[in-house]
Amino acid sequence: MKPLVKLAFEVCAAFILVAFGVGVDVLRLPFGITIDSIALSIVFTIIWIVGITNAVNLIDGLDGLCGGMSVVIFVVIGCIAIVERRMDITIITFLLAASTFGFLVYNAHPASIFMGDCGSLFLGFMISAISLLGFKSSTIVTLALPMLLLMLPIIDTLSAILRRTLKGRKFLEADKSHIHHLLMKQFGHRNTVIIMCGITTLFGFSAFVYMLNEMFGLLAIMIILLAVEIFIEKSAMISEHFHPILGICRRGLNRIKLITKIIKEHKEKKSAK
């Protein structure tokens, strides 16, 4: 199928979920801002489902990667559901985690079976739907928890769209500049899968930390995001000229060196007098 045809089916599937009551009811943002609109709720739900479905599909570029990360995400959502006393979500997520792990035994590198788009789109769709079903209270915090678990696919998707737009290519066109492709060049196939599943686990752990202590949780999240951002800039994943964080650091170091040089010259002139 062409990308637009698949996208149309994904939107239809999202509408079916909305019709059966799966989605965000009310968005409660910081500073007491509440958004209670049926139209905005439907739009947000469809964007969330289609976006996450495709984000998970995009990471299906290496043997065992999509399956491995999906297992981690299902387990973490299931554990959060236990804390929230949602046994229905817990049972569904652990069943999906166990069945995906059984598939992963044969899908790990070197794979003997492959999931293809049908498998990765299914996993992405289930993750997006369950996260909405499990966190329907819809505060900005509860929406942020599933987003944390899916942070790598989300970052990879946004980077791909930006990268292809800057190069004048269609954003649905495939390329070999995803995070997993860049990691594989340095660490190999198996290690790349382990690294990406490990980072997803760290994001999941930071979600639990945030639930216990907001300050430490935010600190952990910011550190992980900063590390991912530095990797994106160093690897020129988006563009060779895209390095805002590293650029700020370089400019800061250059200014420090300049100030140090001026002070040193001033001291030398003073001592010469």
Side-chain angles (χ1 to χ4, degrees), residues 185-236:
K185 291 177 183 178
Q186 298 183 32
F187 303 103
H189 194 129
R190 190 180 297 275
N191 289 335
T192 296
V193 174
I194 293 171
I195 289 169
M196 291 194 69
C197 289
I199 294 172
T200 302
T201 304
L202 286 175
F203 275 120
F205 179 74
S206 67
F208 277 105
V209 173
Y210 185 86
M211 291 174 71
L212 298 172
N213 188 298
E214 291 187 10
M215 187 181 70
F216 286 115
L218 283 173
L219 182 62
I221 293 164
M222 293 305 295
I223 290 171
I224 300 170
L225 286 174
L226 182 62
V228 173
E229 172 63 23
I230 290 172
F231 170 77
I232 290 172
E233 293 181 22
K234 290 279 286 183
S235 61

Side-chain angles (χ1 to χ4, degrees), residues 246-260:
L246 292 176
I248 291 170
C249 292
R250 289 194 193 103
R251 286 193 292 271
L253 286 172
N254 289 335
R255 286 179 181 176
I256 291 170
K257 288 178 182 177
L258 181 62
I259 292 169
T260 306

Side-chain angles (χ1 to χ4, degrees), residues 64-184:
L65 179 58
C66 185
M69 290 183 66
S70 296
V71 168
V72 172
I73 292 167
F74 282 132
V75 169
V76 175
I77 290 178
C79 292
I80 293 173
I82 291 174
V83 176
E84 297 287 329
R85 297 181 180 180
R86 289 292 305 272
M87 290 310 297
D88 53 339
I89 302 301
T90 304
I91 292 168
I92 293 171
T93 49
F94 284 144
L95 281 172
L96 282 166
S99 56
T100 306
F101 185 79
F103 172 82
L104 193 60
V105 173
Y106 301 96
N107 184 238
H109 183 70
S112 57
I113 55 175
F114 307 92
M115 65 171 65
D117 277 355
C118 288
S120 58
L121 288 173
F122 167 76
L123 289 175
F125 183 80
M126 293 303 293
I127 289 169
S128 63
I130 290 170
S131 63
L132 283 175
L133 190 65
F135 303 100
K136 203 173 179 178
S137 56
S138 313
T139 63
I140 195 68
V141 174
T142 53
L143 286 174
L145 293 179
M147 283 181 70
L148 274 177
L149 300 175
L150 297 159
M151 191 56 70
L152 271 185
I154 290 171
I155 291 172
D156 195 29
T157 302
L158 294 176
S159 299
I161 292 171
L162 184 57
R163 177 177 64 252
R164 292 164 190 171
T165 302
L166 290 173
K167 291 181 179 179
R169 298 168 61 181
K170 296 179 180 178
F171 73 89
L172 292 172
E173 190 178 335
D175 59 25
K176 294 286 184 180
S177 296
H178 293 289
I179 291 175
H180 51 271
H181 290 132
L182 299 173
L183 284 171
M184 194 170 67

